[in-house]
């Protein structure tokens, strides 16, 4: 799973999802995808639910497409990030969002 920040990593990990990393506000690029691809063939992107998070998800999607990776994107409701969502709604709700996460093509449409 790919998230935006340190606190998101901690919350997602504590919710039982051990394979989580953060982009930490850096521009996500091909070298990041190549590194991720060494460890996983499928990635779930869970950025913040604001306009900037959605735009970042769309930009990341293009980078993943160029590297032929399988990607699903979680859309967290506006005003939340993985950390706040898990704290307010619990890990089961977050796991449900992961299960129902659309592919990047469905997300774009």
């Amino acid at each position: 799973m790919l998230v935006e920040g340190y606190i998101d990593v901690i919350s997602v990990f504590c919710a039982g999802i051990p394979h989580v990393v953060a982009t930490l506000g850096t521009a996500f690029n091909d070298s990041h995808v190549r590194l991720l691809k060494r460890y996983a063939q499928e990635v779930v992107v869970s950025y913040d639910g604001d306009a900037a998070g959605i735009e970042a998800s769309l930009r990341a999607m293009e980078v993943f497409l160029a590297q032929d990776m399988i990607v699903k994107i979680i859309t967290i409701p506006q005003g939340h990030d993985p950390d706040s969502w898990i704290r307010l709604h619990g890990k089961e709700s977050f796991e449900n969002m992961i299960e129902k996460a659309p592919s990047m093509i469905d997300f774009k449409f």
Side-chain angles (χ1 to χ4, degrees), residues 68-82:
D68 294 323
M69 276 195 83
I70 299 168
V71 179
K72 294 183 177 182
I73 300 176
I74 293 176
T75 306
I76 295 179
Q78 175 120 9
H80 290 285
D81 58 17

Side-chain angles (χ1 to χ4, degrees), residues 17-90:
I17 300 163
H19 306 290
V20 57
V21 296
T23 55
L24 302 174
T26 62
F28 191 70
N29 61 47
D30 289 340
S31 63
H32 294 118
V33 176
R34 284 192 299 273
L35 181 61
L36 283 171
K37 206 170 181 179
R38 291 184 200 170
Y39 301 98
Q41 295 303 309
E42 183 174 325
V43 175
V44 176
V45 176
S46 181
Y47 285 158
D48 296 359
D50 56 13
I54 291 169
E55 283 297 315
S57 294
L58 290 169
R59 283 191 309 272
M61 181 179 73
E62 298 299 325
V63 179
F64 281 116
L65 273 172
Q67 295 291 325
D68 294 323
M69 276 195 83
I70 299 168
V71 179
K72 294 183 177 182
I73 300 176
I74 293 176
T75 306
I76 295 179
Q78 175 120 9
H80 290 285
D81 58 17
D83 170 58
S84 67
W85 189 265
I86 291 168
R87 283 187 290 113
L88 289 172
H89 300 283

